[in-house]
Amino acid sequence: MIRKSFFTLCLSLNLIFFSSENDQEKFDIVSTSQRPSNSLSVEQALTSQIENLNTKLKALETELKHRIEALESTNNLKSEQLTHCLTTLESKNVQAYWLKQHQHPPTNCREVKDRGYDVSTTYLIKPDFAPNATKVLCDLEKKGGGWTYILNRFDGSQSFDFDLEDYKKGFGKLSGEFWLGLDNVYYLTGYKMNELLVELVDWNDQSVYAYYDRFRVGSEDEGYVMTVSGYNGTAGDSLSYSNNMKFSTKTKDFDKSSTASCAEYFDASWWYNYCMKSLLTGKYLKGEVSQEHKDKIMFWQTFRGTAYSLKEVRMMVRPRVKSDGN
């Protein structure tokens, strides 16, 4: 808009100059060749006309000057605004860089919630003593929030038929079914007492839960032994039977059975005793199963029994807010 006005003013000035030059030429012709008898009147008229043109010219010059000053002022203002924006952006980038370099990632999903986040999704955490940060799935809403998923199954798309190395590292996708990995669970729970929340859903979409106020998984040297106690909930307690048991696989048998390997017989890795009352890593089938698959499925004995393959299971942990020292 300003550029258009500037062009209009320049065009007006050119027209005035052109008009003045033409009038001057007319004056010279009249004064030298065909000077009328009333030449004084003609000269006075032309002089008056020139004076009017000069007045208009000065007015246009003044207006042009004001327009230029306004344009410069606007440009200066925009320049100042741009400088301010760039300075602010640079400052924020520096702050973000500093935070990225110096602020420790949260150690678990409870700390994610404590930092003000409230959307249940994936976050980067670095548990105490863990060698590297890792992505986890957090539930920041359920039962106070701050839960870190260690197991999630809901459609059977991910096989759980793996041996120790895979169970150590973890497998699956955080956007789907997965096992977080025994090493990660150890770093989450091995140095401080955690709570455990197990959620179960059957094929009628009935949902129940089992809550334990003490849960810990030991290191690899300890055989990833599980400590669990303090049950409360609606699902019944089918996990405490495996308390203080090491994690068994087909090649690493730590169960108490003297006749056979539970992991080999039931074709699944788990914390076996003589052998188990729950198997959340078992085969994913639908509802009631035949005798052939009994006890080899994803089941929870006190909810639907050992011959019913559940639809959904979730295991989540979070640090206890208060500890009584036990």
Side-chain angles (χ1 to χ4, degrees), residues 54-294:
N54 286 334
T55 300
K56 291 180 180 180
L57 177 60
K58 289 180 180 180
L60 287 172
E61 287 176 343
T62 300
E63 183 178 355
L64 178 60
K65 181 179 179 180
H66 290 162
R67 293 286 183 91
I68 292 174
E69 289 175 352
L71 180 62
E72 290 176 345
S73 175
T74 301
N75 285 337
N76 289 337
L77 179 59
K78 289 181 178 179
S79 178
E80 290 174 0
Q81 291 174 340
L82 180 60
T83 301
H84 175 71
C85 289
L86 290 175
T87 302
T88 302
L89 180 60
E90 182 180 1
S91 175
K92 288 184 177 180
N93 285 339
V94 169
Q95 292 177 30
Y97 176 80
W98 187 92
L99 289 173
K100 183 178 179 181
Q101 296 298 317
H102 299 281
Q103 186 182 39
H104 293 294
T107 58
N108 51 66
C109 291
R110 180 185 284 280
E111 191 172 330
V112 170
K113 182 175 178 63
D114 290 343
R115 292 190 183 188
Y117 296 92
D118 58 6
V119 177
S120 297
T121 183
T122 57
Y123 292 90
L124 186 70
I125 67 168
K126 186 178 183 299
D128 293 330
F129 307 108
N132 300 301
T134 185
K135 273 190 174 182
V136 296
L137 178 61
C138 295
D139 189 313
L140 305 182
E141 305 160 64
K142 198 169 296 175
K143 297 184 183 299
W147 298 99
T148 305
Y149 278 73
I150 63 175
L151 177 146
N152 194 21
R153 303 185 73 180
F154 54 87
D155 62 8
S157 59
Q158 172 64 52
S159 171
F160 274 67
D161 185 16
F162 294 108
D163 213 328
L164 183 60
E165 285 303 311
D166 291 297
Y167 271 92
K168 282 173 56 177
K169 296 182 295 183
F171 50 83
K173 297 181 180 179
L174 295 179
S175 59
E177 296 191 328
F178 67 89
W179 171 261
L180 186 60
L182 290 167
D183 283 339
N184 288 326
V185 179
Y186 162 63
Y187 286 121
L188 278 168
T189 67
Y191 296 92
K192 61 182 70 173
M193 192 57 66
N194 272 243
E195 304 167 327
L196 172 69
L197 179 64
V198 180
E199 293 186 326
L200 312 167
V201 181
D202 67 11
W203 288 90
N204 295 319
D205 290 327
Q206 180 183 355
S207 178
V208 295
Y209 75 93
Y211 166 82
Y212 298 87
D213 65 9
R214 288 173 177 81
F215 178 80
R216 177 186 182 272
V217 171
S219 66
E220 182 176 10
D221 290 339
E222 297 174 286
Y224 300 112
V225 61
M226 177 181 68
T227 303
V228 60
S229 62
Y231 165 79
N232 190 7
T234 58
D237 181 11
S238 293
L239 189 61
S240 294
Y241 182 75
S242 297
N243 183 42
N244 291 326
M245 296 309 303
K246 296 180 179 180
F247 194 83
S248 290
T249 66
K250 295 176 183 178
T251 59
K252 295 289 183 179
D253 180 15
F254 294 113
D255 62 56
K256 289 186 177 181
S257 175
S258 59
T259 58
S261 164
C262 296
E264 188 172 357
Y265 182 81
F266 292 107
D267 199 23
S269 302
W270 190 244
W271 290 281
Y272 289 105
N273 193 333
Y274 291 107
C275 285
M276 73 294 187
K277 292 186 177 181
S278 61
L279 188 61
L280 301 188
T281 55
K283 288 183 173 59
Y284 188 96
L285 299 178
K286 185 174 180 179
E288 297 288 346
V289 298
S290 64
Q291 186 67 25
E292 176 189 358
H293 296 294
K294 183 177 180 293

